[in-house]
Amino acid sequence: MRDTYIKPLILAEDDLAEGVYTASGSGNTSYSISSAGSWGNGDSTSTAQFSVTIDNSGGSATDTWTVTLSASGGSLQSISGSWVYSSSGQASVSCSSSQVIISGTGTSASGGFQVVYTGDSLTLS
């Protein structure tokens, strides 16, 4: 029997949670990301907040992991705040106009981040 992979989508205006799976070092890393809402900023931008949990089960404290989320429907302007901490310290959250990149080391991480974007909506996948 053949399983079909379905790529997850994260919608800023919905309370959805999906998992993204990848490999990192000797461990199996899984990511769960969910939207915590979005709001207008009183100008041409909006802010969306996301929560993230990362589990690098089977990995070691020195294993490096990265997850890249592509943005559509809006253009990312900046990360306005991040509080993602791994078992080895704070993880890095950065963005370009079309991607959010979360990276760190360790066996686990959790927290959240906020992105400022332009457009009517924002989808991360």
Side-chain angles (χ1 to χ4, degrees), residues 79-98:
I79 301 293
S80 63
S82 70
W83 52 98
V84 179
Y85 295 93
S86 74
S87 56
S88 297
Q90 187 165 10
S92 167
V93 181
S94 61
C95 76
S96 67
S97 63
S98 61

Side-chain angles (χ1 to χ4, degrees), residues 24-46:
S24 173
S26 61
N28 293 319
T29 306
S30 63
Y31 307 88
S32 173
I33 301 170
S34 62
S35 171
S38 64
W39 54 91
N41 294 327
D43 55 16
S44 62
T45 66
S46 297

Side-chain angles (χ1 to χ4, degrees), residues 4-123:
T4 301
Y5 173 78
I6 299 173
K7 186 176 182 179
L9 295 176
I10 308 298
L11 303 174
E13 64 272 11
D14 293 336
D15 293 326
L16 300 175
E18 296 285 347
V20 179
Y21 301 94
T22 186
S24 173
S26 61
N28 293 319
T29 306
S30 63
Y31 307 88
S32 173
I33 301 170
S34 62
S35 171
S38 64
W39 54 91
N41 294 327
D43 55 16
S44 62
T45 66
S46 297
T47 299
Q49 182 169 314
F50 296 90
S51 298
V52 62
T53 302
I54 299 162
D55 178 26
N56 187 26
S57 61
S60 70
T62 58
D63 279 348
T64 301
W65 45 261
T66 299
V67 63
T68 302
L69 302 168
S70 297
S72 62
S75 178
L76 299 171
Q77 302 299 303
S78 64
I79 301 293
S80 63
S82 70
W83 52 98
V84 179
Y85 295 93
S86 74
S87 56
S88 297
Q90 187 165 10
S92 167
V93 181
S94 61
C95 76
S96 67
S97 63
S98 61
Q99 293 181 326
V100 172
I101 301 147
I102 307 169
S103 59
T105 59
T107 57
S108 63
S110 63
F113 61 93
Q114 293 178 340
V115 293
V116 176
Y117 67 95
T118 58
D120 293 333
S121 65
L122 178 68
T123 301

